[in-house]
Amino acid sequence: MRKIILSILGGLLIVGAYFASQYIADKGDKKRPTPEKVVKTVFTDTVHNSTVQIVIPANGSLVAKRRVELYSEVQGVFRTGNKLFKPGQEYRQGENLIRIDASEYYASVQSAKSNLYNSIAAIMPDLRLDFPEVFQKWQTYLNGFDLNKSTPKLPKMTTDKENYFITGRGIVSNYYNVKNLEQRLAKYNIRAPFTGILTEALVTEGSLIRNGQKLGEYIDPSAYEMEVALSKTYASLLKVGEQVALNNLDKTQNFNGAVSRVNGSIDATTQTITAYIEVKDKTLKEGMYLEANLNAKEESDAIEINRNLMLDGDQIFVVRDSILDIIDVNPVYFSDAKVVLKDIPNGTIILSKPVPGAYAGMKVKPYTATNSKDI
């Protein structure tokens, strides 16, 4: 009896295990629900080819168009003038910038002029006797000779005899020696070559100035130039007189300039060409850093898009029947943020903003006001 009961229990256990396995197997075969496919909403633009103005961005600092570095060609003590020799001091054209004490040198110049006068006076009796026809013009020259003024030019010699006689007495050599001394005497006073402002002063009143010493810098604040280096590919596009829009780094001030010069050679190291932009404004200062936008050329039948919409191999995404596709384009100009494209048919729908993970064949939904909540 015991064996019979154990056999029945074993059979029931096997049958129960079979049905339990079938239940578990059936439960595991149930398919997971298919997730609903999400269609991304994208921003698009419709292509309308037009004329695109290609603008070349550049930047640089301002330098005065007219600037002078002041050096001394003579030696002496810096004497006090009507204005202090300090940075920021303004001067009118012809006004004394620096006056160096020339009392000792002035005396030597006067001595040389006196010797010239005496040399001419000594030959006057001989001129009266031997050259009466030229005596009067030399007498007139002596009468007009003033030691306190610049030495007048010698009378023009009309005959060879007169020339030999005057030259033989050493008068011509004495005259040019005096003129040389007068020229050097003028260098003791340094005058403003134009109306401007002193930007650097390296000496003060009472200083001993030496020959060849730098004294300061002087500029004309009415006109400035900005030097910019551009790629050699723009060499043929730059034209003298081209208008340029400029602004400061904060973009709070705008200025108008023009291309004043373009270098005729390309830097062999950087393969760039240098252009100079002239700008005039009372608010400008030397050393200011500005940004410039040069109008290089106009490209017809083209569009401008963001560079981040470009794919490798000069391609972009387009939308055709709510499906992304890729087309080849012809880029003609790249800037830091934009690219100018050609050969895109009018009416083509392109992406206006990049789509993460986009690929050809991807189903998308162009953005409209009705589906804006789905973004």
Side-chain angles (χ1 to χ4, degrees):
M1 182 61 68
R2 183 180 178 186
K3 290 182 179 179
I4 294 172
I5 294 172
L6 290 175
S7 299
I8 295 172
L9 291 175
L12 292 174
L13 182 61
I14 293 173
V15 173
Y18 172 76
F19 284 108
S21 64
Q22 288 293 327
Y23 175 77
I24 293 173
D26 293 341
K27 187 176 181 180
D29 289 341
K30 291 183 178 179
K31 295 182 179 180
R32 295 181 180 179
T34 303
E36 184 181 353
K37 190 173 183 179
V38 177
V39 179
K40 287 189 176 181
T41 301
V42 296
F43 293 90
T44 60
D45 275 337
T46 302
V47 173
H48 297 287
N49 286 297
S50 60
T51 300
V52 178
Q53 177 69 58
I54 294 181
V55 178
I56 304 173
N59 51 64
S61 56
L62 294 179
V63 177
K65 187 175 182 179
R66 291 201 296 176
R67 62 180 300 111
V68 176
E69 291 187 348
L70 304 174
Y71 285 88
S72 174
E73 298 183 62
V74 296
Q75 179 171 315
V77 177
F78 184 2
R79 293 301 183 192
T80 303
N82 296 330
K83 295 181 178 179
L84 290 176
F85 190 74
K86 298 291 183 183
Q89 183 64 60
E90 296 181 355
Y91 295 88
R92 305 294 299 176
Q93 183 176 3
E95 192 174 359
N96 271 339
L97 292 172
I98 294 177
R99 186 170 63 89
I100 302 174
D101 184 16
S103 54
E104 182 178 352
Y105 192 80
Y106 177 77
S108 65
V109 174
Q110 294 300 95
S111 175
K113 291 170 69 174
S114 178
N115 290 336
L116 174 62
Y117 182 86
N118 293 337
S119 298
I120 297 175
I123 66 169
M124 294 306 292
D126 294 333
L127 286 178
R128 181 187 292 271
L129 294 175
D130 299 332
F131 304 95
E133 68 279 5
V134 300
F135 172 79
Q136 188 56 48
K137 68 177 180 182
W138 285 96
Q139 184 63 51
T140 303
Y141 179 82
L142 275 183
N143 294 338
F145 198 101
D146 190 345
L147 291 176
N148 295 321
K149 296 180 180 180
S150 177
T151 303
K153 188 176 180 180
L154 290 175
K156 184 177 181 180
M157 288 171 276
T158 55
T159 64
D160 290 340
K161 289 184 178 180
E162 179 188 6
N163 183 29
Y164 297 150
F165 181 80
I166 299 299
T167 304
R169 298 300 189 276
I171 293 176
V172 175
S173 60
N174 287 344
Y175 167 78
Y176 284 109
N177 179 56
V178 169
K179 297 302 290 185
N180 179 54
L181 294 176
E182 287 181 338
Q183 289 291 327
R184 189 164 183 81
L185 179 63
K187 296 177 181 179
Y188 281 82
N189 284 341
I190 300 177
R191 301 181 180 275
F194 46 79
T195 300
I197 187 171
L198 191 68
T199 58
E200 184 182 20
L202 302 178
V203 293
T204 57
E205 288 81 353
S207 301
L208 175 61
I209 296 176
R210 293 176 175 82
N211 188 10
Q213 179 180 353
K214 184 178 180 180
L215 309 177
E217 291 187 2
Y218 184 75
I219 69 168
D220 179 2
S222 63
Y224 295 93
E225 281 189 335
M226 185 174 76
E227 178 181 330
V228 295
L230 305 170
S231 173
K232 65 177 182 179
T233 56
Y234 308 133
S236 60
L237 306 181
L238 294 174
K239 297 180 181 179
V240 175
E242 188 76 29
Q243 294 299 307
V244 182
L246 302 104
N247 58 266
N248 59 0
L249 294 181
D250 299 329
K251 301 188 184 302
T252 56
Q253 291 179 295
N254 297 314
F255 309 98
N256 293 321
V259 177
S260 58
R261 303 192 309 280
V262 178
N263 200 335
S265 63
I266 295 175
D267 191 306
T269 305
T270 60
Q271 289 297 293
T272 58
I273 186 170
T274 304
Y276 298 87
I277 301 171
E278 182 179 345
V279 56
K280 297 180 180 180
D281 196 281
K282 293 182 179 179
T283 61
L284 295 174
K285 301 292 182 184
E286 188 174 59
M288 284 183 64
Y289 199 82
L290 297 181
E291 295 177 341
N293 295 304
L294 289 79
N295 296 324
K297 64 177 294 189
E298 292 183 345
E299 195 69 51
S300 60
D301 295 327
I303 64 169
E304 186 179 46
I305 65 172
N306 292 327
R307 286 191 63 167
N308 56 9
L309 296 176
M310 288 287 296
L311 305 176
D312 295 337
D314 298 337
Q315 296 174 324
I316 63 170
F317 280 117
V318 297
V319 180
R320 291 174 176 168
D321 298 328
S322 300
I323 301 295
L324 284 185
D325 196 3
I326 296 176
I327 63 171
D328 295 327
V329 293
N330 177 24
V332 294
Y333 170 72
F334 287 92
S335 67
D336 293 339
K338 300 286 187 178
V339 57
V340 178
L341 305 177
K342 299 195 71 170
D343 299 340
I344 302 178
N346 284 322
T348 303
I349 300 175
I350 64 174
L351 296 182
S352 61
K353 290 185 179 180
V355 178
Y359 57 89
M362 178 179 179
K363 189 173 180 62
V364 295
K365 180 168 54 176
Y367 170 83
T368 62
T370 57
N371 62 19
S372 60
K373 296 181 179 179
D374 299 335
I375 299 177

